[in-house]
Amino acid sequence: MSQRDTILHLFAGGCGGTVGAIVTCPLEVIKTRLQSSGLTLRSVYIPQVNLNTINGPGVVRPARVAPGLLQVLKALDISEGCAAEINDIGEITFGIVCSALVSFKEELSVENRLGKVYKLYTRAIYFAAYSKAKEKFNAVFVPHSNAVNMCSAGFASFITNTLMNPIWLVKTRMQLESRKRGEKASNAFQCARHVYQTEGFKGFYRGLTASYAGISETVIHFVIYEALKKNLEEWRFTVRDNDKNVSDFLGLMIAAGISKMCASCTAYPHEVIRTRLREEGTKYKTFLQTARLVAIEEGYSAFYRGLQAQLIRQIPNTAIMMTTYELIVHVLG
């Protein structure tokens, strides 16, 4: 792969991730709030009436349940305003410019690198690493086989998780930050400085083990996506031997949505554990200890809190991201 190809995949990945993130940003905040332990403390109370009591009158007993997606959305709007849902859209928008200038990132200030590029760098690094790894593994295994797709996706995820965990931690802390309506949110640089002052450098790598566990989700997603993409390519050459058109990219969008839905449902619990580990000043210390504590205190259903918001967000997000990526690679490549 030439340097031009690497830059192309870097640029296409950054653009794809940025476009998808802009469209689905509000649900990202809601999903993170649903995954956090703080939501349990703010659970709503549903009255349960027991009519068969010894004393005769019915007794109202509160039952603690976790709020749903719409309840969290309403609470965010009432207490913090709509800005809570889109507090990082401005930072994400900046990402599409940064992706074109990723080779000249030394020109960006420290604050911009921390606060405005976490969405773009994740996808830019991932797709560049994935395409490079795929080229290498094609020379080791049967070209374009499932083994190549699995190894490439796993390698790219490992590299991306290791490099981007500090920025992801800052993003999670910003999304979990509670504030009153009209109160100005902390920016990414302030949040990063607070993490360093209170937890040291190692604090930026909280939740990394859960991110490594999440590599399985990426592997499942790309194996299914590549298989569906291959079938679409074979169908296109069978039915009509010509260049790609709108229907082909629509097919890629559907393939990306299906593959991400399967991957998210299979590997979702690691996201809940990862969010808990990234919370500030919590009792959660390690991956296994967090998993055990959540299961004991909240039950196994807690591992799937926020899944509804995740699916509503991730399916269109991934479909838009992958299609944008494929379109840019096709046009510029």
Side-chain angles (χ1 to χ4, degrees):
M1 182 182 294
S2 65
Q3 185 177 3
R4 178 186 178 279
D5 291 331
T6 302
I7 294 175
L8 172 61
H9 288 283
L10 201 67
F11 176 77
C15 290
T18 302
V19 173
I22 290 174
V23 175
T24 60
C25 177
L27 285 168
E28 170 74 12
V29 179
I30 296 170
K31 181 205 71 172
T32 305
R33 296 290 178 95
L34 284 166
Q35 291 173 344
S36 69
S37 62
L39 187 69
T40 305
L41 302 177
R42 296 189 294 269
S43 297
V44 297
Y45 285 81
I46 306 297
Q48 291 181 342
V49 180
N50 182 2
L51 298 177
N52 300 320
T53 59
I54 297 176
N55 297 327
V59 178
V60 177
R61 296 177 180 174
R64 205 171 191 180
V65 298
L69 187 151
L70 293 178
Q71 290 171 303
V72 174
L73 180 62
K74 183 178 179 180
L76 280 171
D77 184 59
I78 292 174
S79 62
E80 303 175 29
C82 293
E85 303 163 31
I86 57 175
N87 57 8
D88 54 358
I89 277 189
E91 297 174 351
I92 294 171
T93 305
F94 186 80
I96 198 165
V97 178
C98 293
S99 55
L101 301 174
V102 70
S103 300
F104 308 98
K105 60 184 178 182
E106 64 272 12
E107 298 177 13
L108 302 173
S109 66
V110 174
E111 183 174 349
N112 281 343
R113 288 206 298 271
L114 283 174
K116 298 182 179 179
V117 298
Y118 56 78
K119 289 291 184 183
L120 93 98
Y121 278 160
T122 298
R123 295 306 176 189
I125 292 172
Y126 182 86
F127 280 108
Y130 179 74
S131 57
K132 192 74 174 179
K134 198 172 180 182
E135 179 193 17
K136 298 296 183 182
F137 285 120
N138 274 332
V140 177
F141 302 106
V142 177
H144 307 292
S145 63
N146 283 337
V148 171
N149 297 332
M150 289 176 65
C151 293
S152 301
F155 174 79
S157 293
F158 180 83
I159 295 296
T160 305
N161 290 336
T162 304
L163 293 176
M164 300 302 296
N165 197 81
I167 300 180
W168 286 343
L169 180 127
V170 171
K171 182 195 74 169
T172 300
R173 292 286 177 88
M174 291 177 68
Q175 290 174 337
L176 293 177
E177 181 184 19
S178 297
R179 61 185 186 279
K180 297 178 181 179
R181 179 184 287 271
E183 183 180 351
K184 187 177 180 180
S186 302
N187 60 38
F189 183 74
Q190 292 171 328
C191 183
R193 184 174 58 184
H194 178 72
V195 172
Y196 181 76
Q197 291 175 343
T198 56
E199 303 175 48
F201 185 75
K202 67 177 182 180
F204 288 104
Y205 284 89
R206 290 183 60 174
L208 183 59
T209 51
S211 293
Y212 286 153
I215 291 176
S216 59
E217 178 181 345
T218 306
V219 170
I220 294 170
H221 162 51
F222 270 86
V223 167
I224 297 176
Y225 174 74
E226 292 286 0
L228 294 175
K229 179 182 173 181
K230 183 179 179 180
N231 289 334
L232 287 172
E233 290 285 343
E234 292 175 351
W235 173 83
R236 180 166 65 87
F237 284 114
T238 301
V239 176
R240 61 182 204 284
D241 189 11
N242 56 9
D243 197 14
K244 290 183 178 180
N245 58 28
V246 176
S247 63
D248 294 308
F249 288 104
L250 180 61
L252 291 175
M253 185 175 287
I254 295 172
I258 292 173
S259 59
K260 191 62 180 180
M261 180 180 66
C262 296
S264 294
C265 291
T266 303
Y268 184 76
H270 90 274
E271 293 217 15
V272 175
I273 298 173
R274 184 176 62 192
T275 297
R276 300 295 178 93
L277 286 170
R278 288 176 178 169
E279 292 176 356
E280 182 178 5
T282 61
K283 56 193 172 184
Y284 306 111
K285 305 300 180 184
T286 64
F287 182 86
L288 294 178
Q289 178 258 353
T290 301
R292 182 173 179 272
L293 207 56
V294 171
I296 292 174
E297 294 182 348
E298 304 172 44
Y300 292 104
S301 61
F303 289 112
Y304 288 90
R305 273 182 19 191
L307 179 59
Q308 181 184 6
Q310 171 78 342
L311 292 177
I312 294 174
R313 170 191 169 270
Q314 277 287 23
I315 292 175
N317 176 283
T318 304
I320 294 169
M321 177 190 69
M322 296 298 296
T323 306
T324 303
Y325 167 78
E326 298 281 3
L327 178 63
I328 292 175
V329 170
H330 173 70
V331 173
L332 299 182

